[in-house]
Amino acid sequence: MATIYPNSHFNAETSAKELRDAMKGLGTNEDEIIKVLVSHDNRQRQEISSKYKQLFGRELDDDLKSELGGHFEAAIIALMTPTFLFLARELKRAMKGAGTDESVLIDILATKSNADVKTIKATYQTEFNRSLEDDIRSDTEGNFQHMLVSLCNAAREENPKVDAGLAKKDAQDILGAGEKHWGTEESVFNLVLCTRSFPQLRATFEAYRDTSGFGIVDTIKRETSGSLQEGYLAIVNYVWDSNYYYAESLYNTIKGAGTNDDALIRLIVTRSEIDLKHVASAFHKTYGKHLQDFVKEDCGGEYRKLLLAVIGNN
């Protein structure tokens, strides 16, 4: 269940004027900006942005950037950006500069439908005049690269029906490529994890436990390491329960000494119109604490207020 829905009383002109009033003159009314943006879904925000330009001859995003700052600005701009464009920019950011943020590549590519991956790839090409696959190849290597390229090709089967015979065969193949093999044949893991449908994978994981006596997670942890392991585990955990997968992802952004604000913003904003309410419930069941309470402890000021509003504590 989402936490942000389309506004049933939507009026782009009224909202555009409210945003302009919140930013003109001395000072900025951040509460009004939060109220307007969180009370409309992404499609409506795009219409508000267009109306803002028509009425005032100004770019709404530019005005928001000039009035705001820090993580609050980043979260506001994330809300204002069309979802697939935002994800394409996140992928580009993850591969920009000296290092690569592998976790961003995994989180975006391992959990999306074929249609979503294709849209992200097309958006990336349009925005940066570059191929997403080519950039992945230039920034990653080895079996981790092979996994990402497979995911980037959006070839996952989407038949909701489960083939029990195939599940048993795939389970046997994984067992032969891992626990019963000297070394690990990652290509077998890759073929199964990156091309089988999510319902088929659930059946495969159950068959694997019945066949081997091992859980697939334990086998992946024993047979792989580093970013490849992280990627395989992301697929497995998402397949078992997407709500708990995102709950764990959110927990990982705020546990420990520092907060990964880029990831926190991406997860809260992109799930807000899909399943954030269910994710927050899974978070509470898993960690014994409300997601809102973690945000209150780790974030401050208007940034905290905005995230709480998106989560639903408004």
Side-chain angles (χ1 to χ4, degrees), residues 121-170:
K121 286 169 62 180
T123 305
Y124 190 97
Q125 180 72 49
T126 301
E127 178 74 358
F128 304 112
N129 195 29
R130 300 173 64 91
S131 160
L132 175 58
E133 183 178 326
D134 288 347
D135 281 356
I136 286 172
R137 288 184 184 276
S138 67
D139 271 69
T140 60
E141 60 185 9
N143 291 311
F144 179 58
Q145 178 193 97
H146 299 159
M147 183 197 73
L148 291 177
V149 170
S150 292
L151 294 171
C152 192
N153 274 268
R156 188 177 295 286
E157 298 161 359
E158 295 187 321
N159 186 346
K161 292 184 178 180
V162 170
D163 183 332
L166 179 61
K168 291 179 181 178
K169 179 183 180 301
D170 283 344

Side-chain angles (χ1 to χ4, degrees), residues 95-100 139:
M95 295 183 282
K96 187 177 181 180
T100 302
D139 271 69

Side-chain angles (χ1 to χ4, degrees), residues 3-282:
T3 59
I4 292 181
Y5 297 92
N7 191 319
S8 59
H9 303 290
F10 177 52
N11 185 306
E13 182 170 332
T14 298
S15 295
K17 288 178 178 177
E18 289 173 342
L19 288 171
R20 183 68 196 134
D21 288 343
M23 291 185 283
K24 70 181 182 182
L26 294 176
T28 303
N29 188 341
E30 290 89 352
D31 288 347
E32 184 68 11
I33 293 172
I34 293 171
K35 179 183 77 68
V36 172
L37 297 192
V38 174
S39 62
H40 297 86
D41 69 1
N42 193 281
R43 180 189 60 79
Q44 291 174 333
R45 291 184 213 117
Q46 305 316 310
E47 293 186 41
I48 293 169
S49 182
S50 296
K51 181 61 70 174
Y52 189 94
K53 187 173 183 178
Q54 294 168 11
L55 293 175
F56 308 114
R58 306 167 68 97
E59 296 287 352
L60 176 54
D61 280 11
D62 290 344
D63 281 358
L64 289 168
K65 289 176 183 177
S66 71
E67 295 290 328
L68 311 175
H71 299 311
F72 179 52
E73 176 194 327
I76 287 289
I77 296 303
L79 285 168
M80 285 303 306
T81 306
T83 301
F84 290 112
L85 177 57
F86 174 69
L87 292 173
R89 288 175 176 171
E90 284 289 278
L91 288 168
K92 182 64 174 175
R93 179 184 62 79
M95 295 183 282
K96 187 177 181 180
T100 302
D101 190 339
E102 292 86 356
S103 62
V104 175
L105 306 182
I106 292 166
D107 179 61
I108 294 176
L109 294 176
T111 60
K112 300 294 180 287
S113 68
N114 290 342
D116 285 352
V117 172
K118 289 174 182 176
T119 303
I120 291 168
K121 286 169 62 180
T123 305
Y124 190 97
Q125 180 72 49
T126 301
E127 178 74 358
F128 304 112
N129 195 29
R130 300 173 64 91
S131 160
L132 175 58
E133 183 178 326
D134 288 347
D135 281 356
I136 286 172
R137 288 184 184 276
S138 67
D139 271 69
T140 60
E141 60 185 9
N143 291 311
F144 179 58
Q145 178 193 97
H146 299 159
M147 183 197 73
L148 291 177
V149 170
S150 292
L151 294 171
C152 192
N153 274 268
R156 188 177 295 286
E157 298 161 359
E158 295 187 321
N159 186 346
K161 292 184 178 180
V162 170
D163 183 332
L166 179 61
K168 291 179 181 178
K169 179 183 180 301
D170 283 344
Q172 288 284 1
D173 288 347
I174 291 173
L175 182 60
E179 301 282 2
K180 289 190 174 181
H181 189 270
W182 181 258
T184 305
E185 291 185 26
E186 287 83 359
S187 61
V188 175
F189 283 78
N190 199 80
L191 184 153
V192 174
L193 294 176
C194 296
T195 66
R196 302 296 188 238
S197 71
F198 292 148
Q200 185 66 35
L201 283 175
R202 279 193 289 274
T204 300
F205 301 156
E206 290 167 357
Y208 183 80
R209 181 180 289 279
D210 293 340
T211 300
S212 68
F214 303 121
I216 188 67
V217 168
D218 293 333
T219 291
I220 289 172
K221 288 180 177 179
R222 280 193 292 268
E223 297 294 326
T224 62
S225 61
S227 297
L228 180 66
Q229 180 185 103
E230 184 183 349
Y232 285 168
L233 290 177
I235 295 171
V236 171
N237 290 332
Y238 181 83
V239 165
W240 276 129
D241 192 314
S242 61
N243 294 323
Y244 283 93
Y245 166 80
Y246 284 116
E248 182 180 24
S249 298
L250 282 165
Y251 179 75
N252 288 337
T253 69
I254 51 185
K255 71 176 183 179
T259 302
N260 184 340
D261 292 285
D262 289 333
L264 181 62
I265 291 167
R266 182 179 70 254
L267 290 164
I268 288 179
V269 169
T270 59
R271 305 315 298 179
S272 63
E273 294 180 33
I274 304 172
D275 55 9
L276 186 55
K277 188 166 288 187
H278 290 315
V279 171
S281 176

